[in-house]
Amino acid sequence: MKKQFMVIGLGRFGSSLTRTLIENGHEVLAIDKNEQPVQEMASIATHAIQADCTDESVLRELGASNFSHGIVSIGDDLQASILTTLLLKEMNIPKVTAKARNEMHGNVLKKIGADHVIYPERDMGVRLGNQLSSDNLIDYIELSSDYNLAEIMAPPAMNGRSLMQLNIRAKYGCTIMAIKTGDNINISPLADDVIHTGDILLIIGSNEDIRHLENDYERAK
C-alpha cells in the first residue's frame, strides 16, 4: 500500500531514506533548507523543495498536515530538529519519527512528542560491534530494550540435529524463527526440522541470551 512521507533534512541519512522509500513504491516530499541536497533529490523524490521547516507557515503551505508520517532527519542543528518535531506534532501528523544525535537530544524529542526516536550512528556502532565480536553472527537488529533479532550461521556443533534435540528455547530463552538453507527459507520451523552447518538461523531473544548461545557453541568447536 502506497504511503505518503515527508522527509525533512537531506543529509546522508535523509537522502538514503528518501531513496529507499521511493524504491519501495511510496510518495516522498523531500525538504531541506539548502539548495544542493534538494537539487540532488529532485530526480528521485516525488517532490523536492527548499524550505525552512522551523517556520509553521511554511509547513502549512507545504500541506504537512496531509501526510501520515513526518521524518525529521536534521543533523547538526539541534534547535531546528527540536522545533520542527514540535511543529509537526502540533499539526497532528499521525506519526513523527525524529533522528537524534545523542541521548540528551533524544530525550528532548521524546518529551515534545516524537513517536519514534532513532539513533543511526549509535545503532550502527552497536550492530557492527556485535557482528565483529562473533564469527557466526551475520546481522543483528535491536527490536526493543528487551528483544533483539539476530542472523547466525549454524556452527558445526548444530549439524544434523533437530530443533527438539538442540532445545534452544529451554536452554537459552531464544526462539529460532526461521532457517535459511541456500535460497530456501523455512518460516516457523517445526521441532523435528534438522539444522545443517552453514544454515542461516533467524533468532529472537535478549542480547544476553543470544550471546550466551553463541559463546556456548563457539566453545563447542
Side-chain angles (χ1 to χ4, degrees), residues 2-63:
K2 183 179 289 188
K3 299 179 182 179
Q4 293 182 317
F5 295 89
M6 171 182 280
V7 177
I8 302 171
L10 301 177
R12 284 177 294 180
F13 176 78
S15 297
S16 176
L17 176 61
T18 297
R19 287 190 181 91
T20 302
L21 290 172
I22 290 293
E23 288 170 0
N24 288 337
H26 303 299
E27 295 181 358
V28 180
L29 171 59
I31 307 168
D32 198 282
K33 66 179 181 179
N34 298 314
E35 182 180 0
Q36 183 177 346
V38 172
Q39 290 180 342
E40 292 173 355
M41 285 290 106
S43 61
I44 298 170
T46 311
H47 300 287
I49 296 175
Q50 182 180 1
D52 180 2
C53 289
T54 61
D55 187 331
E56 183 177 357
S57 63
V58 169
L59 286 173
R60 295 197 180 279
E61 287 178 12
L62 293 173

Side-chain angles (χ1 to χ4, degrees), residues 158-221:
M158 290 186 178
N159 187 49
R161 304 183 68 188
S162 69
L163 294 183
M164 182 182 295
Q165 290 172 319
L166 292 170
N167 205 15
I168 296 294
R169 188 167 187 174
K171 289 180 179 178
Y172 303 101
C174 302
T175 300
I176 296 178
M177 307 294 293
I179 302 172
K180 183 177 181 182
T181 305
D183 294 329
N184 299 316
I185 301 179
N186 179 0
I187 304 294
S188 298
L190 302 175
D192 58 355
D193 285 335
V194 175
I195 292 175
H196 302 283
T197 303
D199 284 351
I200 306 301
L201 310 179
L202 187 64
I203 299 177
I204 189 168
S206 71
N207 187 34
E208 183 179 351
D209 290 339
I210 293 173
R211 187 180 295 116
H212 184 196
L213 183 154
E214 287 184 275
N215 289 340
D216 277 3
Y217 279 96
E218 186 74 20
R219 287 192 292 266
K221 281 184 177 180

